[in-house]
């Protein structure tokens, strides 16, 4: 990578002055823009007479003069339909109240100008935002055409926020915006909740994006199985598995919906094992929990637990079959009108019955101990979550609309029960210690049930073995 520690002179003259072709573009409306306009209308209707400010967020420093890849705030994406590499850091969506609703303007950075003026040297001198350093941005006109929204320069934001009207801000995304508008804790919290709940029911376009993200995720799992044998030859085979999946994510989408969990052996007992620095050994299980984030920022989230050798041992199959039965029971509970928690309860009943049959009760049975607490030592967490622009989507929704609510057509969620027998847990037989199994699939609730978006991957132990044999 080219780097010059000397400051690049910010002059409008010299080798960068003049001689540039006109490269303005005519851009079509991005997919999803019409749906985003409907969501903006919902925001306007919910907060009449108030200004609403939703920043995209900005760049975050990784080390010294290098930034992490930019990923805009999910609420911003939901209201603009912005796409992958086109997203511009430090953009701000402003709903300005009018007599009949709101005028909505996106304040963003224009393309680096080539014709002089106050920012005329940015395109070659600014390492963070200059076109020669980080690539071309759209012009303001191009952004307006692409997103179907009124657009203004980011430099005009402060003046636009100057009028004294009640204002709610999505806090924590942009420090400059936070400083410009005095906080209103209760009002701002209500905005966060509303924007989260607005994402609970996915429309047809969103479901299509999720389907595409899951399809690419499934392809990544196929890639991994084809690379398992090679991974066993490496000291850090988990990294090879991680890299194999991540390559698919970058090829087919914007990247990862979350950091890939490639947990072999006893690492599978760590729920969020992302160090991925261990070996992948014949005879062990590999728990792969991974998701591709589409260019639209919607993500898949799938888990399979795979026998590295291609066949489960008796002890591994015993655990796998119980988790499979639990997931099957959870899936059967998915339907519109069912309580959100029903699928978890159904899965836990199967887990409880299975562990009881094995004689595993870490705390004994008492009248006051719930089933979930009784077996939490081996299950650790819930059995699923909403899925969408965030892997754990809609997290700021109220309990009554999410965790304590009911399922509706358009909800998209995961079902992912698991059993995790820690390698040093003396309450389980020796042959089970160090075995961790999780099976996770993604579902969209329909008018009469649920559709599995990740059905392209086998679930049952026999089917997994047959599938793996076909790819080795």
């Amino acid at each position: 990578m080219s780097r010059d520690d000397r400051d690049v002179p910010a002059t409008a003259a010299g080798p960068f002055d003049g001689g540039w072709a006109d490269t303005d573009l005519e851009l079509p409306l991005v997919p999803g823009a019409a749906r985003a306009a409907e969501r903006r209308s919902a925001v306007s209707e919910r907060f009449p007479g108030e200004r609403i400010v939703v920043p995209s967020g900005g760049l975050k420093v990784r080390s010294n003069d290098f930034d992490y890849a930019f990923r805009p705030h999910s609420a911003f994406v939901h209201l603009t339909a912005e796409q992958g590499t086109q997203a511009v850091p430090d953009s701000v969506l402003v709903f300005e109240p009018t007599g009949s609703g709101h005028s909505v303007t996106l304040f963003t950075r224009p393309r680096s100008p080539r014709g002089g003026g106050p920012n005329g040297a940015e395109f070659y001198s600014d390492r963070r935002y200059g076109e020669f350093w980080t690539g071309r941005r759209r012009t303001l006109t191009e952004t307006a055409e692409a997103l179907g929204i009124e657009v203004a320069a980011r430099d005009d934001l402060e003046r636009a926020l100057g009028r004294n009207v009640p204002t709610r801000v999505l806090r924590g995304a942009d420090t400059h915006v936070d400083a410009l508008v005095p906080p209103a804790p209760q009002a701002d919290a209500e905005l966060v909740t509303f924007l989260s709940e607005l994402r609970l029911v996915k429309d047809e376009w969103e479901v299509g994006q999720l389907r595409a993200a899951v399809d690419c995720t499934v392809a990544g799992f196929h890639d991994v199985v084809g690379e398992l044998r090679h991974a066993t030859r490496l000291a850090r085979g988990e990294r090879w598995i991680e890299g194999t999946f991540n390559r698919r994510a970058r090829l087919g989408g914007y990247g990862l919906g979350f950091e890939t969990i490639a947990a072999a052996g006893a690492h599978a007992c760590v729920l969020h094992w992302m160090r991925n620095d261990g070996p992948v050994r014949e005879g062990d299980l590999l728990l792969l929990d991974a998701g591709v984030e589409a260019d639209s920022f919607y993500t898949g989230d799938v888990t399979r637990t795979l026998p590295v050798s291609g066949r489960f041992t008796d002890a591994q199959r015993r655990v796998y079959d119980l988790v499979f039965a639990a997931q099957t029971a959870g899936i059967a509970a998915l339907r519109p009108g069912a309580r959100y928690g029903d699928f978890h309860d159904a899965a836990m009943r199967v887990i409880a019955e299975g562990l009881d049959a094995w004689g595993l009760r870490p705390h004994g049975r008492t009248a006051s101990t719930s089933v979930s607490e009784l077996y939490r030592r081996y299950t650790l967490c819930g059995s699923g979550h909403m899925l969408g622009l965030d892997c754990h989507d809609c997290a700021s929704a109220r309990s009554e609309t999410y965790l304590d609510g009911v399922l509706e057509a358009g909800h998209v969620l995961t079902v992912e029960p698991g059993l995790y027998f820690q390698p040093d847990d003396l309450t389980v037989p020796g042959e089970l210690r160090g075995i961790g199994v999780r099976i996770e699939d993604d579902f969209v609730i329909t008018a009469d049930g649920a559709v599995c978006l990740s059905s392209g991957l086998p679930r049952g132990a026999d089917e997994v073995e047959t599938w793996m044999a076909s790819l080795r």
Side-chain angles (χ1 to χ4, degrees):
M1 177 177 290
S2 174
R3 189 183 188 280
D4 186 346
D5 287 330
R6 297 169 299 175
D7 288 336
V8 180
T11 63
F16 299 99
D17 187 26
W20 303 108
D22 181 1
T23 57
D24 287 354
L25 305 172
E26 291 185 10
L27 298 180
L29 202 63
V30 300
R35 299 289 191 176
E38 294 172 3
R39 298 173 202 133
R40 293 195 296 271
S41 294
V43 173
S44 178
E45 184 177 349
R46 171 62 180 81
F47 300 106
E50 300 181 70
R51 179 189 291 134
I52 303 300
V53 183
V54 181
S56 71
L59 294 168
K60 297 179 180 179
V61 176
R62 181 185 184 276
S63 62
N64 192 25
D65 54 353
F66 289 95
D67 294 310
Y68 286 102
F70 176 60
R71 203 281 192 186
H73 194 288
S74 293
F76 177 88
V77 173
H78 197 232
L79 296 174
T80 62
E82 185 58 284
Q83 300 279 303
T85 56
Q86 296 300 315
V88 177
D90 308 313
S91 299
V92 183
L93 192 65
V94 177
F95 295 70
E96 189 67 26
T98 65
S100 58
H102 290 82
S103 63
V104 184
T105 304
L106 175 60
F107 293 86
T108 190
R109 292 181 182 276
R111 185 185 181 192
S112 301
R114 303 279 181 92
N119 297 317
E122 179 191 84
F123 72 100
Y124 66 86
S125 67
D126 190 322
R127 290 187 175 91
R128 202 172 205 198
Y129 300 110
E131 185 169 322
F132 284 9
W133 292 86
T134 61
R136 185 189 190 278
R137 293 190 298 272
R138 294 173 305 214
T139 67
L140 296 183
T141 298
E142 289 167 357
T143 298
E145 292 173 347
L147 301 182
I149 194 168
E150 184 177 337
V151 174
R154 161 81 187 205
D155 290 347
D156 297 334
L157 177 65
E158 188 168 348
R159 183 171 61 254
L161 297 181
R163 189 164 70 94
N164 186 22
V165 297
T167 302
R168 298 175 189 253
V169 176
L170 180 69
R171 299 277 170 182
D174 189 312
T175 56
H176 180 64
V177 171
D178 288 348
L180 284 175
V181 182
Q186 182 175 343
D188 293 342
E190 288 173 353
L191 174 62
V192 170
T193 297
F194 178 79
L195 294 177
S196 193
E197 292 180 353
L198 190 61
R199 302 208 305 271
L200 276 168
V201 176
K202 273 64 179 178
D203 60 41
E204 184 179 353
W205 183 82
E206 290 181 286
V207 172
Q209 294 304 300
L210 284 161
R211 189 183 297 278
V214 174
D215 285 348
C216 194
T217 299
V218 167
F221 276 74
H222 285 274
D223 295 342
V224 163
V225 171
E227 293 286 335
L228 266 178
R229 183 165 292 159
H230 183 70
T232 64
R233 305 186 188 115
L234 305 172
R236 295 199 289 182
E238 290 175 344
R239 293 280 172 92
W240 190 263
I241 298 303
E242 175 188 356
T244 298
F245 183 87
N246 293 6
R247 180 178 64 240
R248 172 65 66 173
R250 290 290 283 166
L251 179 67
Y254 186 60
L256 299 172
F258 52 92
E259 291 301 311
T260 297
I261 298 169
H267 291 164
C269 300
V270 181
L271 285 182
H272 289 169
W273 177 260
M274 290 179 281
R275 302 179 196 174
N276 300 341
D277 61 352
V280 177
R281 299 188 179 96
E282 294 280 352
D284 279 348
L285 295 176
L286 170 72
L287 189 157
L288 179 63
D289 187 339
V292 172
E293 182 178 75
D295 288 321
S296 58
F297 299 108
Y298 289 83
T299 186
D301 181 12
V302 176
T303 306
R304 286 296 182 270
T305 306
L306 309 171
V308 175
S309 66
R311 298 190 65 83
F312 294 96
T313 67
D314 289 345
Q316 290 167 352
R317 181 179 277 260
R318 182 180 169 197
V319 179
Y320 190 95
D321 285 348
L322 180 52
V323 175
F324 173 78
Q327 193 202 28
T328 300
I331 294 168
L334 297 178
R335 64 181 66 87
R339 288 189 319 112
Y340 171 82
D342 284 353
F343 74 90
H344 171 71
D345 292 344
M348 281 303 305
R349 280 193 294 272
V350 173
I351 293 286
E353 291 168 1
L355 294 180
D356 271 356
W358 297 352
L360 296 182
R361 295 185 193 167
H363 302 296
R365 183 184 292 281
T366 67
S368 61
T369 305
S370 69
V371 169
S372 60
E373 283 300 310
L374 185 64
Y375 299 104
R376 191 176 178 191
R377 182 181 183 111
Y378 309 135
T379 58
L380 298 179
C381 65
S383 300
H385 52 82
M386 291 293 184
L387 184 69
L389 283 167
D390 292 336
C391 176
H392 295 169
D393 206 26
C394 312
S396 296
R398 294 166 296 170
S399 291
E400 58 264 34
T401 63
Y402 184 174
L403 299 178
D404 298 326
V406 297
L407 295 178
E408 298 179 41
H411 281 170
V412 178
L413 69 160
T414 72
V415 178
E416 54 170 321
L419 280 171
Y420 313 94
F421 298 119
Q422 302 299 328
D424 56 349
D425 190 343
L426 301 181
T427 70
V428 298
E431 68 269 18
L432 299 183
R433 294 174 199 161
I435 293 179
V437 173
R438 179 164 67 251
I439 311 170
E440 178 182 22
D441 287 281
D442 304 337
F443 298 87
V444 56
I445 304 299
T446 63
D448 55 2
V451 171
C452 182
L453 300 177
S454 48
S455 59
L457 288 178
R459 291 196 308 119
D462 289 340
E463 291 77 17
V464 166
E465 290 181 345
T466 300
W467 167 58
M468 293 182 68
S470 72
L471 296 176
R472 291 174 74 86

